[in-house]
Amino acid sequence: MAYIDDYFKEAVSIIDMINKDEVTRMIEAVLQIREEGGRLFFLGVGGSAGNCSHAVNDFRKIAGIEAYAPVDNVSELTARTNDEGWHTVFAEWLKTSNLGEKDGVFVFSVGGGDKEKNISANLVYALEYARSKKAKILGVVGRDGGFTAKVADACVIIPTVNPKTITPHTESFHSMIWHLIVSDPRIMKMSNKWESVSREQIADDR
């Protein structure tokens, strides 16, 4: 029970410390991307890759924004890894997608990418390419934010409250932040299913 109590207390502490101004800037950037007819490309590796797939669904279905995640195409991802190298998979994918200044690149990562240490270097190469195309860069990251935090137009850094639980908290808060964004009244175009079902309908289903 002690670990469970500590874990939830850490989560509460993180919520209290999150920079809400960065969240606001992120929402404003997403609004601009949608208004200009741009697209959102979600980048992440490991557990963060799974978060990208989920986020694409929500931004397309709930927010009405054209969104994609390179990790959803396993054939292309592994072909590029095999033929060109893991470090360039996202950058090359963005090139083929004709990334432009109306578009946005949204990173979910624990460290944010570090080319020198060769940690999530594919994120760094992708963000360098995004900058060259003047696309907006957004991110939800942990630790010190890495390369993502240095170049992003808006970046939420999940505070480290316990060095032993950086990854689980960061990846959990990826979800909290993107769900906050798509459920913001300025962003949401379609209600979530259960919020749109009346109590009477639920009772009838039973």
Side-chain angles (χ1 to χ4, degrees):
M1 288 294 291
Y3 178 76
I4 295 172
D5 289 339
D6 289 343
Y7 192 91
F8 283 125
K9 286 177 182 176
E10 290 167 10
V12 172
S13 297
I14 290 170
I15 291 172
D16 288 338
M17 291 188 289
I18 283 177
N19 187 330
K20 297 178 181 63
D21 290 335
E22 287 298 317
V23 178
T24 298
R25 280 190 279 273
M26 194 171 290
I27 291 171
E28 291 171 347
V30 170
L31 281 170
Q32 184 178 347
I33 290 168
R34 184 172 68 186
E35 289 167 1
E36 294 181 353
R39 302 161 296 169
L40 269 175
F41 297 94
F42 287 85
L43 306 182
V45 296
S48 300
N51 286 340
C52 289
S53 295
H54 186 161
V56 164
N57 166 67
D58 288 350
F59 276 83
R60 292 178 69 91
K61 185 174 184 294
I62 299 170
I65 298 174
E66 189 176 350
Y68 302 95
V71 294
D72 286 339
N73 188 332
V74 174
S75 295
E76 181 177 354
L77 189 72
T78 53
R80 290 192 180 282
T81 301
N82 188 62
D83 299 343
E84 303 158 17
W86 176 239
H87 63 291
T88 63
V89 289
F90 293 150
E92 294 301 319
W93 198 93
L94 292 172
K95 289 178 185 178
T96 303
S97 297
N98 297 310
L99 183 76
E101 60 184 12
K102 293 181 179 180
D103 300 321
V105 174
F106 203 135
V107 172
F108 291 142
S109 175
V110 176
D114 188 317
K115 188 188 292 187
E116 287 69 32
K117 294 180 180 178
N118 197 31
I119 301 174
S120 299
N122 46 15
L123 295 178
V124 178
Y125 282 92
L127 294 180
E128 288 176 338
Y129 179 72
R131 289 179 76 189
S132 75
K133 292 298 179 179
K134 299 181 180 179
K136 284 188 172 52
I137 296 173
L138 310 175
V140 182
V141 295
R143 298 174 64 86
D144 64 357
F147 188 74
T148 301
K150 293 178 181 177
V151 300
D153 296 282
C155 184
V156 175
I157 298 177
I158 305 306
T160 298
V161 295
N162 180 351
K164 294 181 179 180
T165 54
I166 293 172
T167 297
H169 281 310
T170 301
E171 293 187 344
S172 295
F173 276 87
H174 290 164
S175 179
M176 177 173 283
I177 298 299
W178 97 62
H179 280 103
L180 183 160
I181 294 170
V182 298
S183 62
D184 185 289
R186 295 167 290 177
I187 298 287
M188 179 180 279
K189 282 198 167 184
M190 179 180 287
S191 297
N192 290 293
K193 179 65 176 179
W194 287 107
E195 285 79 355
S196 64
V197 176
S198 68
R199 290 185 179 181
E200 290 76 15
Q201 288 174 295
I202 294 172
D204 289 343
D205 288 342
R206 291 174 181 169

